[in-house]
Amino acid sequence: MTTARLSRPAAVAAACGVLLATACTPNATAETSEGAADGLTVTSTADECAVSAATAESGPLTFAITNEGDRVTEFYLLAEDGLRIVSEVENIGPGISRNLVVNARPGSYYTVCKPGMVGDGVGRTAFTVTDSGTTVEASGDEQAQIDDAVANYEAYVEDQVDQLLAGTEDFAAAYSAGDDDEAQRLYPTTRMHFERVEPVAESFGDLDPKLDNREADLAEGEEWTGWHRIEKDLWPPADPAYTPLTPTEREVFADQLVEDTTTLRAGVQDVELTLDQLANGAIALMDEVANGKVTGEEEIWSGTDLWDFQGNVEGARVLVDGLRDLLEAKDPELAATLDEDFASLEAELDKHRTSPDGAAQRDITYVSYGELSQADVKALSDRVNALSEPLSRITASLLG
């Protein structure tokens, strides 16, 4: 699964045509802003991503991005969920201007810049595309759409692991310094990046167990490292036999977590996926929810299972939405059913969310799993089961 793949700019260019029939011209990431007077301008600085308008009509759009900061930056157009990458321009040096051209369908999106090309970016702002009356169709034949979907998802995985690494570094620094309140705050929201792309992480052999093994998963004599080893120390059991880690031990486990996440980041740069892996990845993510998150077995010390739950659901939704053009052509009834079941599950999960709508990634909060009643767990489980059945048919529908 880890074979040679397109470079990041090539992958983004190949992703054109997926959800929004994105029309990244071959030189879209290399153009200057000349000739873009009728389009949208974007000013990127260290703490701002200022877009000249918050709305535009559907059809060809040009974003002329100028980097007025002192670090290399990127500009992203994200889908309504704030996760899927519709298109991007990267490697915009200080003082440089480049264009992003997209053929946008009506809908709701977000714009964001990423100074330093790490983290979750700055200046995230809602962007609306209204209906111009002109139909925007996905371009290319079926194979081209498959290639687009794969390349687009690979770019999404890279972005999520980039954010995972940045968050892990902050988390590890807080934990090593003994700032348990900050480490506890960062723990679940940082892990959401991992949970969204967990099937890809699991493809790296021993790396996934080093990062994500629970105590119950350990074989006899196996060393326990990763997130859940630190979780137990941050939320220690009420057991006099448990010995908290020393400051030196904390630093060792924190450094190992960052090192292993850095290895994961390097590995995903070369991941090459197939259509069946994308479809099966969505199924695998919902299996993760059914077998661990909805049962409260994943985060037994912290009780942060609902953050993991949300991350898995978001990752599955990204995969399904990325395959939408193909699925609607082959089985529009299944596509509609999946939309309804995803919406029902997300609404059920939102009942237990305590942060306001629109909260930043690091500010998302849910109730602890221990606060759920048996009726709450059953309601969530029922919605997971309802979604899992049609989702199990997606691979056959796409390959049939």
Side-chain angles (χ1 to χ4, degrees), residues 322-339:
L323 298 168
R324 177 160 306 282
D325 287 334
L326 290 162
L327 187 59
E328 286 184 341
K330 289 179 174 289
D331 195 338
E333 184 177 344
L334 178 58
T337 298
L338 287 169
D339 283 345

Side-chain angles (χ1 to χ4, degrees), residues 40 51 53-56 61 63 77-78 104 107-111 125-129:
L40 299 148
V51 183
T55 63
L61 301 179
F63 293 89
L77 181 65
L78 303 176
S108 299
Y109 308 93
Y110 288 94
T111 56
T125 304
F127 185 82
T128 302
V129 176

Side-chain angles (χ1 to χ4, degrees), residues 36-44 48-56 61-66 75 111 113 123 125-127:
D38 294 331
L40 299 148
T41 61
V42 181
T43 302
S44 175
E48 186 179 37
C49 188
V51 183
S52 59
T55 63
L61 301 179
T62 298
F63 293 89
I65 306 103
T66 300
F75 172 74
T111 56
C113 297
T125 304
F127 185 82

